[in-house]
Amino acid sequence: VWDRVASIQALKEPLDSGDAKAVSEQLQLAWEQMSKAGLALPFARGMAEEILSLEALASDPLALRLGLLADDYEGVALEATSVPKELEFARSIALGEPGEAPEEALCQAISAAFATPAPPLPQALTALLDEQRLGEALLAALKSLSHGGDTDPAELSGALAFLRAIGLEDTARRVALQILLLDTPT
């Protein structure tokens, strides 16, 4: 615990003084600490806005990764002027306009879920919807997504498409971004 506290304090010091170079160095250490502890998402949500407020870090790959995991992911994606190649697909998901997906099965599955026209929904989920069991269908979709990047690609795609179909576009984008950005190395 104290190592994580120390890493945040070491990040806050240059952040408060506006030293972008020192922030960039400390950010990597803090990210590693938080990721190892399973705290990467709360870390991103708590720190992204302040880190991205430093103009020199606006195109830093790790700072952008944090921004795409934060609450204002779409705003971060819109404001990003220089996006590294490894984050282009994540940015397109944040904007709700997935571009060409990388060849990896995970990216292809996510891209399919956001395609137009929408892919057919999984039979098990549509059967629950037909029986007016929306809550149960939602729980089943979320359970499908609970394995993150280890989820079967077809199941992942179907669950994300289901979330979108029932009006949970924001949730689908957030889940897709979390899977893309937390289940892949920096």
Side-chain angles (χ1 to χ4, degrees), residues 85-99:
K85 184 160 182 61
E86 70 268 16
L87 293 176
E88 286 176 354
F89 181 62
R91 178 179 185 253
S92 72
I93 293 296
L95 294 172
E97 304 166 353

Side-chain angles (χ1 to χ4, degrees), residues 4 18 24 31 53-54 57 60 96-97 99 139 148 176 186:
R4 292 189 298 275
S24 184
W31 175 256
S53 71
L54 295 176
L57 293 176
D60 179 86
E97 304 166 353
L139 288 173
T186 30

Side-chain angles (χ1 to χ4, degrees), residues 7 11 23 32 34 42 44 49 51 57-58 64 90 100 116 120 145 151 166 180:
S7 71
L11 175 62
V23 169
E32 289 170 10
M34 294 302 163
E49 183 178 350
I51 291 167
L57 293 176
L64 283 173
E100 189 173 329
T116 303
L145 296 168
T151 304
I166 63 169
L180 278 173

Side-chain angles (χ1 to χ4, degrees), residues 89-90 92-93 96-119 153-154 156-158 160-161 164 169 172 176-177 179-180:
F89 181 62
S92 72
I93 293 296
E97 304 166 353
E100 189 173 329
E103 293 299 317
E104 295 98 37
L106 175 71
C107 295
Q108 292 293 316
I110 290 171
S111 180
F114 288 89
T116 303
L156 174 68
S157 187
L160 289 172
R164 294 184 71 228
E169 175 74 23
L177 287 168
I179 289 170
L180 278 173

